[in-house]
């Protein structure tokens, strides 16, 4: 049985009965609309702006559109490639020709952006209920483009980002880099600014240590159990070659605990 869009929407937490699917086509808008239209070189920001401005005619666009919009870009005559999933927070302007909506970008289906291509059975239709689009076939899902590793001293990750790094193919080079070093890392609880200083040494690389945090949020640390990892931010304070003596790594860890005062005013217990 061929894969359709429906299961992908549901897996992403989207209720097809409460979502809108849009397929933008490359086109020049009429002058009275005030819009520039779209073309093959339109930027992400231009597509976003184009999406948030819709016709004031309720025959062209729903009077009360749902909260979630799944937006595709036309590809060929009968296909569409996923651009993004946005959240509609309501109409903010209406000049009788154009209605402008407050939209917010989401991370929903982010791993499928520019990768997911579906068949579009109704070439003259550019919008529809997701319940209808749910039956459209998935034509293909392209391999994710690799994301270059930014360097150890520029690495700052939310917990969601960390989970993606440990799981997704596009971060393979990141996992290789993190596997090659020991080091001292910092976890900041962004809700209150408290720090936790930790280390990876012995038989655990940074990748192995952070993989545990990606899995359960606390990495086995008593100090972090019971806290919500969604507010954690991960970064590296210092990296070491695996041949570095453990005592040197211990000294560095103690230094950063003192420097950041993470024992008295943070999340370290010792």
């Amino acid at each position: 049985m061929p894969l359709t869009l429906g299961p992908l929407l549901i897996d992403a937490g989207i209720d097809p009965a409460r979502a809108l699917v849009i397929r933008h086509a490359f086109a020049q808008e009429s002058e009275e609309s005030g819009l520039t239209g779209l073309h093959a070189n339109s930027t992400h920001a231009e597509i976003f702006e184009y999406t948030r401005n819709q016709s004031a005619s309720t025959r062209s666009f729903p009077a009360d559109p749902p909260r979630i919009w799944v937006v595709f870009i036309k590809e060929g005559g009968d296909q569409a490639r996923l651009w993004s999933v946005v959240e509609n927070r309501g109409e903010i302007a209406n000049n009788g020709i154009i209605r402008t909506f407050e939209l917010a970008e989401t991370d929903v289906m982010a791993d499928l952006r520019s990768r997911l291509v579906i068949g579009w059975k109704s070439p003259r239709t550019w919008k529809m209920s997701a319940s209808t689009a749910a039956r459209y076939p998935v034509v293909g899902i392209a391999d994710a483009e690799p994301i270059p590793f930014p360097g150890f001293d520029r690495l700052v990750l939310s917990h969601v980002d960390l989970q993606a790094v440990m799981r997704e193919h596009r971060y393979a080079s990141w996992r290789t880099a993190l596997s090659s070093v020991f080091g001292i890392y910092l976890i900041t609880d962004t809700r209150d600014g408290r720090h936790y200083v930790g280390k990876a040494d012995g038989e655990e690389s940074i990748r192995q240590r952070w993989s545990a945090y990606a899995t359960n949020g606390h990495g086995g640390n008593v100090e972090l159990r019971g806290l919500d990892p969604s507010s954690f931010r991960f970064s590296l304070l210092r990296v070491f070659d695996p041949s570095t003596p453990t005592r040197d790594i211990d000294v560095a860890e103690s230094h950063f605990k003192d420097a950041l005062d993470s024992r008295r005013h943070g999340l370290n217990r010792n």
Side-chain angles (χ1 to χ4, degrees):
M1 182 176 180
L3 177 64
T4 59
L5 178 60
L8 299 181
L9 296 176
I10 293 171
D11 185 61
I14 298 173
D15 180 355
R18 298 183 177 182
L20 181 70
V21 173
I22 293 172
R23 184 181 78 155
H24 291 317
F26 298 136
Q28 180 67 39
E29 291 292 320
S30 59
E31 290 187 7
E32 62 267 21
S33 74
L35 302 178
T36 58
L38 292 181
H39 51 81
N41 295 318
S42 291
T43 65
H44 186 88
E46 288 170 340
I47 297 173
F48 181 83
E49 186 66 18
Y50 186 79
T51 304
R52 69 192 293 264
N53 289 286
Q54 299 292 337
S55 171
S57 170
T58 55
R59 289 190 297 178
S60 297
F61 196 72
D64 185 21
R67 183 174 64 88
I68 296 298
W69 301 359
V70 185
V71 184
F72 289 82
I73 302 294
K74 181 179 179 180
E75 189 156 293
D78 59 356
Q79 295 184 5
R81 185 178 295 271
L82 180 64
W83 172 70
S84 190
V85 177
V86 297
E87 178 186 356
N88 164 33
R89 295 180 177 175
E91 182 180 315
I92 57 175
N94 186 335
N95 64 7
I97 300 174
I98 294 296
R99 298 162 67 197
T100 300
F101 293 84
E102 180 184 356
L103 299 185
E105 295 223 48
T106 75
D107 290 329
V108 179
M109 300 181 77
D111 59 325
L112 293 175
R113 289 177 189 163
S114 301
R115 298 176 56 213
L116 171 64
V117 178
I118 63 172
W120 196 267
K121 296 181 179 179
S122 305
R124 294 186 178 181
T125 302
W126 62 273
K127 66 173 187 325
M128 64 184 67
S129 164
S131 296
T132 299
R135 299 191 293 270
Y136 282 11
V138 171
V139 175
I141 300 177
D143 289 340
E145 286 292 324
I147 298 178
F149 182 63
F152 298 116
D153 58 347
R154 298 181 63 186
L155 200 60
V156 180
L157 302 171
S158 69
H159 189 249
V160 170
D161 292 336
L162 181 65
Q163 290 177 315
V165 166
M166 294 301 162
R167 179 182 66 244
E168 296 179 14
H169 176 71
R170 57 184 174 153
Y171 292 106
S173 67
W174 297 42
R175 294 192 292 274
T176 298
L178 295 173
S179 295
S180 70
V181 294
F182 292 164
I184 311 300
Y185 58 86
L186 181 69
I187 300 175
T188 301
D189 189 338
T190 58
R191 289 172 301 183
D192 54 25
R194 289 188 296 168
H195 295 310
Y196 175 86
V197 175
K199 66 177 178 178
D201 61 3
E203 297 182 356
E204 280 194 315
S205 64
I206 292 291
R207 175 187 175 178
Q208 290 169 304
R209 194 75 198 93
W210 280 11
S211 180
Y213 291 111
T215 300
N216 59 29
H218 55 72
N221 299 115
V222 175
E223 301 91 332
L224 303 180
R225 290 182 186 272
L227 298 179
D228 182 0
S230 67
S231 63
F232 289 174
R233 187 177 63 197
F234 298 79
S235 58
L236 291 170
L237 297 173
R238 186 175 175 184
V239 296
F240 294 91
D241 184 274
S243 63
T244 304
T246 299
R247 64 179 178 275
D248 292 348
I249 301 176
D250 289 342
V251 169
E253 179 190 27
S254 181
H255 163 72
F256 282 112
K257 286 179 179 178
D258 289 341
L260 294 167
D261 201 15
S262 64
R263 295 185 181 95
R264 186 172 55 168
H265 294 117
L267 294 167
N268 287 108
R269 290 190 176 182
N270 54 55

